[in-house]
Every structure is written in structure tokens, then in C-alpha cells.
Amino acid sequence: MEITFKEVSYTYYPNTPYEKKALHNVSFHIPSGAFVVIVGATGSGKSTLLQHMNGLLQPSSGKVSIGDYQLPITSKKVSLKELRKRVGIAFQFPEHQLFDETVREDILFGPKNFGIPEKDMEHRLQEVIHLVGLDEELIERSPFELSGGQMRKVAIAGVLASKPDVLVLDEPTAGLDPISRVEMMELFSSLHRLENITTILVTHHMEDALKYADYMIVLSNGRIHSKGKPVDIFNNQDALKEVQLLLPESIDMFHKLNQTFDLNLSYRGQSPFDLAKEIISSLGEDSS
Amino acid sequence: MKSWLVIGQYLPGNSFIHRLDPRTKLIIIFSFVCVLFFANHWTGYLLFTTFTIVSIVLSKVSVPFLLKGITPVWFFIVLTFFLHILITKEGEILWELGWFQVYEAGLQRSIEISWRLLILVVFTSLLTLTTAPMEITDALESLLGPLKRWNLPIHELALMMSISLRFIPTLMDETERISKAQASRGVDLKSGTLKDRMYAFIPLLIPLFIGAFKRAEDLATAMEVRGYQGGEGRTKLRALQFSNLDIIAAIGYVIVLILFIYIRQ
Ligand SMILES: Nc1ncnc2c1ncn2[C@@H]1O[C@H](COP(=O)(O)OP(=O)(O)O)[C@@H](O)[C@H]1O
Ligand SMILES: [Mg+2]
């Protein structure tokens, strides 16, 4: 599904002393099937933005369209349930939403609410626990007996079980150990490639942004600071510093080597391996 | 913001009322609420209304905000008004519609009672709007302190109160976060039969309880680690101190009381 934001502003608690303008005139377009990464300092409005994508929040001004859905909703007849079935959101620390007696029940909670036929349930359950890499023995256990990492997987499986067309992920790897983090990112990446799921990811890991994003949006104080391909975003180092973000380590190192040895190389989106080769060959030219 | 959230919310500020010692505010408000019930003549109501308006002005709280904050209580005020009109049957009949009659004394009593209620509510919300919850707790602990002599656990009660107050906003944030997460999984609290809706609360309540227990455990550990052992010999970071402002407030209040006694005679 396509997602378009047109001059969207959002204010929490308008007309009270607690009024807080969290988004200012945000506009962008996400084509169907894209992998978009949203970055920005804490409090820059990332989570507020994401909550517009399944109608949890409706813009105070401006328009959001998600597929055929238009926000703000003007008619009472429009059901948000259908939208929420098609746009799956995993919030920060999604394991806090677990509540059911068994892992099975919790994973199938979403599909049940969305009216998936009973006969498909078992199949879906098997599918998602294999996707996220959960042990089959765990499905009859209480989710509260599991480790933090396993709980996170259960919660993500619960979102995937409704088979959304759009997957919205708010810092899904925060607090995971390095291996689990890589596994989880690979899972999202393969879902995106194989099932053509439109993916919107909020992350503080610039390496992940560089590796997976087709397109990046940089938020700062509720405004879009910049948007574009990762190459272009990461080539503008000064702009990134302004919004308290750092370069991915590989690019940072490349820039430093470039400066130290006066190499005059440029970053055009090469892989770390190609970067290394370029550096070596131009160092070789120098010494000869 | 949903208006029910505003009632009892602290609005930081630097007005005369904000800077009063919380004990002064508590004493004045509690005694004022009692005295209010001795008003029996319109002059008394006029005096108390003036006192309330002066307090609002001194607190610099915006009047629309204050009135909006007490929206939930309007219902009770209106209800009280009509109940008194219905049950009081004294004096002349002013107005009649079938079995429904409005008596002169009934009308007078309803206006008096609901006006009293309104002053009471405005005054108490002025307290919570201008006094941080922790200040109120400290003031209560200090004022009730003498009861410790009879082995009443005043310090512990105050601690429980301040911890609960401290975690109300946290719990509300948590409630919002979890209900959004469950709404994303298709929970609908707004439609369906009553039974459906009751069931829809389970996915909200269980994570809330689990979170609260976990937080309580963490807090207990953190307090123990930092050497907390109870009230005995514990000093305060923000010691309460009366200032000249409190003397001014006390004088003002006593003048109102004297005027009131004078009016009543
Ligand atoms: N439920 C809420 N009520 C009031 N203010 C909020 C709420 N959620 C977020 N905010 C405020 O909106 C701003 C953006 O927050 P958020 O979208 O959570 O940012 P991020 O996810 O980038 O950290 C912050 O200043 C935050 O304090
Ligand atoms: Mg966030």
C-alpha cells in the first residue's frame, strides 16, 4: 500500500497548558513495497508519525492517505479495523503488550480480532513461529515464563500473524543482544523482499539504516529535516551532526582515511568491501 | 486533553498562591470548607464568593481552564440543584407543571446548596492546581506528625501516598501505550455488546498489572540499595518553611472569618 503524508501537523492536548506540537507540516510519499527508515533524536516525533499510519492518531491538520484510506476520518462508517489489519505496527518494547495464557493464544489474538477463519489459524501460527525463530515447544507455555528476547519474538510474531501489507516497526531491536538484533533485521529484510511488504522502520542504528533502507526520512523537532537515499543523507555529515546523528561506522572510517591520506575518494553507496578495495588501490598509487 | 485528567493536576507557576507554604493552604482550605456550611444568608455567600474570586486571581490560574477542569463535577452540582428543588416543599409555589412544583424555599435552598458545592469544588481544585502533589504529602505528614506519638504510621502513609501520586502519570502513559498496542491488534473498546467490551479490557489490564508489579519491585530494590529504612531520623530535602506570605494569607483569611461572624449576627 502507498502511504502519503500531506502537510501533516499533530498537536497533543490542544488548547490546554499541556499543549505540545509534535509534528509540523510533514509531507512525504512512500511507494508500495518500499523499505523506509525514519531516524531522528529522541522526542523528534518518530512515534507520533508512525501512529498516524493505522489511524491511532489523526492529523490535527493536513491529510494522510494509506492505500484507499484517508485521515482524518470524516464519516463514522469507516472502520479502522480493516486498516489496522492491513497495517501491522510493532511498538517500542512490544513484549509489554503480551497478556494471554499461552504463546499460541497471544500470537493468534490479532488474527482472531480481525476475523481470520478458524481453519487457517494453525497454519499461520506455524508459519510465524518459524519466521521469527521460536521453538515449537514454547507455544503452549505462558509468555511470561520466557526470556526477554523470546517475548519480543512472540510479540513480533503476533503482529506478523495478521499478514499485514504494511509493517511499521518502532525501534524493534532496542535492547536485544547483537546476534538477535541481526537475526531480527534479516527477518524484516527477507519479509520485505519475498512478500513485498512495505516496511517502515524507526531505528537509532545507522548501520541498519544504511544497509536496508531504500529511502530515509530524518526528523528533527517534529519537522522533516531531510529525506532521500541513504547515500545522499550520509554524504551530508554536517547536516547529520545538526540533528545529533552519527555516520555509520564504515562510512565514518572511510571519511577519516580519506582525510588522513588525502585520497580524494567519494562515497557513492559502495559496500564496505568495495570501499576498502578503493582505499587500498589508491594508497598503492600514492606510494608508487 | 480529556478534561477528567485535568482535575487535580498541578500547574507549575510562581503566583502568590503557588508560593504559600502547603500547610497554610491545607489549613485554610479545610477550615474554609467547614465554615462554608455555616453560611445562612446571602451576605455570607457574597463574602465567600469574593474570597474565592480573590484567591483565583491571586493564583493566576486561567478561569476557563479551572472551569473546564471541574466539568465532571458539574453533573453533581446540577443534580443537587434539581434534587433540592424536588424535595423541598415550603413557601409559596412559584411555578407549576402538572405534578412538578417549584416552591420559593425550594428554589432558594437549591441555589444555596449548589453554590456552596461550586465554591467547594473550585477551592479544592485551586489547591491541587497550585500545589505539587509532593508538597501536599509533605504538608499532611507535617500536620499529622503529632499523631505518631500514638504509634500511627504517619510517615509510611505519607510515603505510600507520595509513591502512588508519583506513579499516576506513569500508569496513565502506560495505559495509553498498551491500549494503542492492543488497538493495533484489532481490539475495539468502542463497539460490540457490553460483554464484548468488558472482555476487551482484559488485554489492557493484565499488562498494566504486570508492569505495575515489576515497577514496584524495582522501586523497592532501588530504595533499599540507597539505604532507606523508614522515617526514623530521616531528614528532608525540601524542608517546609513558613514565610511572610503565609502571615499575609493568614491575616487575610482571619479578616474574612471575622467579617463572617459579624455578618451572621
Ligand atoms: N501521549 C503523549 N502525550 C503528550 N505528549 C506526547 C505524547 N507522546 C509524545 N509526546 C511528545 O511529542 C514529542 C514527540 O514524541 P515522540 O513521537 O514519542 O518522539 P520519538 O518517538 O521520536 O522519541 C515529544 O516532545 C513528546 O514529549
Ligand atoms: Mg519513540
Side-chain angles (χ1 to χ4, degrees):
Chain A
M1 290 209 290
E2 282 189 320
I3 298 176
T4 308
F5 276 54
K6 217 172 140 197
E7 293 174 6
V8 170
S9 300
Y10 186 82
T11 309
Y12 284 102
Y13 312 133
N15 308 319
T16 71
Y18 306 94
E19 183 170 293
K20 167 85 205 173
K21 196 154 189 193
L23 291 179
H24 302 259
N25 273 328
V26 170
S27 303
F28 58 83
H29 174 75
I30 298 177
S32 191
F35 197 122
V36 174
V37 169
I38 301 177
V39 296
T42 308
S44 55
K46 305 181 296 294
S47 301
T48 307
L49 183 76
L50 295 188
Q51 289 171 41
H52 284 78
M53 295 185 177
N54 74 348
L56 285 173
L57 298 179
Q58 306 213 13
S60 308
S61 71
K63 283 206 169 68
V64 177
S65 59
I66 310 124
D68 299 334
Y69 282 85
Q70 301 283 338
L71 302 179
I73 286 175
T74 41
S75 152
K76 280 215 163 133
K77 286 193 199 113
V78 181
S79 154
L80 282 171
K81 220 172 194 173
E82 182 61 27
L83 174 64
R84 290 182 184 159
K85 180 181 165 190
R86 300 187 59 189
V87 179
I89 296 196
F91 284 101
Q92 240 164 327
F93 301 107
E95 57 273 24
H96 293 171
Q97 73 189 27
L98 301 180
F99 74 97
D100 227 322
E101 275 168 61
T102 62
V103 168
R104 166 203 297 278
E105 295 292 318
D106 211 293
I107 291 179
L108 294 179
F109 180 67
K112 269 183 199 152
N113 288 326
F114 293 127
I116 307 296
E118 198 67 40
K119 61 176 175 30
D120 296 349
M121 292 285 190
E122 195 54 38
H123 178 65
R124 289 215 174 176
L125 180 70
Q126 292 301 330
E127 206 175 5
V128 292
I129 61 170
H130 286 121
L131 272 177
V132 301
L134 267 179
D135 226 326
E136 214 163 311
E137 294 157 20
L138 297 179
I139 58 175
E140 299 305 334
R141 299 259 290 273
S142 157
F144 302 110
E145 292 170 12
L146 308 183
S147 74
Q150 288 169 326
M151 283 168 84
R152 178 79 54 96
K153 286 180 179 173
V154 173
I156 300 277
V159 176
L160 296 178
S162 308
K163 295 210 173 172
D165 302 328
V166 179
L167 193 54
V168 177
L169 305 157
D170 197 348
E171 301 186 32
T173 59
L176 288 183
D177 59 86
I179 300 279
S180 311
R181 193 185 114 216
V182 171
E183 283 174 1
M184 191 151 285
M185 283 310 304
E186 283 302 323
L187 161 68
F188 297 137
S189 168
S190 66
L191 277 173
H192 167 247
R193 271 182 285 116
L194 301 177
E195 319 247 342
N196 203 27
I197 295 182
T198 312
T199 309
I200 294 127
L201 168 76
V202 164
T203 183
H204 287 303
H205 286 282
M206 294 303 136
E207 282 75 18
D208 289 348
L210 176 65
K211 194 165 168 195
Y212 299 107
D214 303 328
Y215 196 73
M216 282 178 73
I217 297 174
V218 182
L219 280 183
S220 165
N221 293 322
R223 293 170 207 278
I224 292 199
H225 178 271
S226 46
K227 51 188 176 181
K229 294 216 159 63
V231 189
D232 302 327
I233 301 280
F234 289 130
N235 263 330
N236 196 349
Q237 200 171 347
D238 297 331
L240 278 180
K241 277 215 182 96
E242 264 169 47
V243 294
Q244 317 212 333
L245 295 175
L246 294 172
L247 285 177
E249 264 175 13
S250 57
I251 301 180
D252 191 37
M253 180 157 166
F254 173 73
H255 281 314
K256 287 200 174 120
L257 286 172
N258 222 353
Q259 270 175 3
T260 319
F261 297 105
D262 263 331
L263 294 179
N264 251 330
L265 297 173
S266 67
Y267 176 64
R268 305 174 308 274
Q270 308 94 314
S271 69
F273 185 71
D274 289 337
L275 285 176
K277 274 209 296 202
E278 275 186 37
I279 292 169
I280 290 171
S281 66
S282 49
L283 278 176
E285 276 166 30
D286 261 17
S287 56
S288 63
Chain B
M1 172 178 287
K2 294 175 199 89
S3 55
W4 58 269
L5 290 183
V6 178
I7 194 168
Q9 282 242 355
Y10 174 52
L11 271 183
N14 203 19
S15 70
F16 176 80
I17 307 273
H18 278 91
R19 281 182 294 158
L20 286 180
D21 188 291
R23 286 171 296 181
T24 313
K25 290 191 250 187
L26 270 184
I27 294 173
I28 291 184
I29 284 172
F30 274 109
S31 64
F32 183 67
V33 165
C34 300
V35 173
L36 199 53
F37 284 90
F38 291 100
N40 57 357
H41 192 249
W42 66 268
T43 48
Y45 285 99
L46 186 68
L47 178 69
F48 289 148
T49 309
T50 318
F51 182 56
T52 310
I53 291 173
V54 170
S55 309
I56 295 175
V57 171
L58 286 177
S59 74
K60 295 198 178 138
V61 174
S62 96
V63 176
F65 183 71
L66 184 65
L67 291 181
K68 219 166 117 196
I70 62 172
T71 338
V73 191
W74 281 116
F75 171 74
F76 288 102
I77 295 177
V78 174
L79 187 77
T80 317
F81 183 84
F82 282 109
L83 272 180
H84 275 276
I85 281 206
L86 272 179
I87 53 179
T88 316
K89 299 195 186 290
E90 290 162 36
E92 276 175 52
I93 296 181
L94 292 178
W95 193 68
E96 200 167 3
L97 186 87
W99 55 269
F100 179 71
Q101 297 140 335
V102 176
Y103 291 86
E104 192 188 342
L107 186 64
Q108 195 189 339
R109 262 199 91 58
S110 344
I111 292 176
E112 278 179 12
I113 302 260
S114 20
W115 193 247
R116 215 181 260 174
L117 207 57
L118 182 65
I119 292 184
L120 198 150
V121 172
V122 165
F123 228 85
T124 35
S125 44
L126 212 52
L127 170 75
T128 50
L129 283 171
T130 62
T131 321
M134 288 302 168
E135 284 185 292
I136 299 183
T137 320
D138 283 348
L140 277 177
E141 184 177 354
S142 160
L143 291 173
L144 299 177
L147 298 181
K148 280 182 196 159
R149 233 178 293 156
W150 291 288
N151 280 336
L152 283 174
I154 300 299
H155 170 76
E156 284 71 17
L157 286 175
L159 181 75
M160 273 162 61
M161 186 169 145
S162 54
I163 289 178
S164 325
L165 286 169
R166 157 65 186 79
F167 280 101
I168 286 176
T170 316
L171 270 177
M172 296 214 296
D173 281 355
E174 187 107 333
T175 310
E176 188 179 319
R177 279 197 313 116
I178 295 171
S179 59
K180 278 179 176 169
Q182 307 299 27
S184 304
R185 295 210 277 169
V187 170
D188 188 356
L189 290 177
K190 291 192 187 100
S191 65
T193 64
L194 186 64
K195 197 171 145 225
D196 287 346
R197 281 191 235 185
M198 304 257 283
Y199 275 112
F201 272 103
I202 295 176
L204 174 61
L205 289 179
I206 292 180
L208 262 183
F209 272 109
I210 288 177
F213 282 126
K214 213 177 274 165
R215 206 167 281 122
E217 220 168 284
D218 290 348
L219 182 67
T221 313
M223 284 169 72
E224 212 157 322
V225 164
R226 292 201 261 167
Y228 177 82
Q229 303 176 320
E232 210 54 52
R234 194 159 175 264
T235 51
K236 288 228 175 265
L237 179 58
R238 292 158 285 129
L240 297 175
Q241 191 114 46
F242 289 114
S243 69
N244 289 341
L245 296 182
D246 296 290
I247 299 176
I248 298 173
I251 292 175
Y253 181 58
V254 169
I255 291 176
V256 171
L257 288 186
I258 292 173
L259 275 176
F260 178 62
I261 293 169
Y262 179 73
I263 290 171
R264 261 178 73 88
Q265 287 160 356

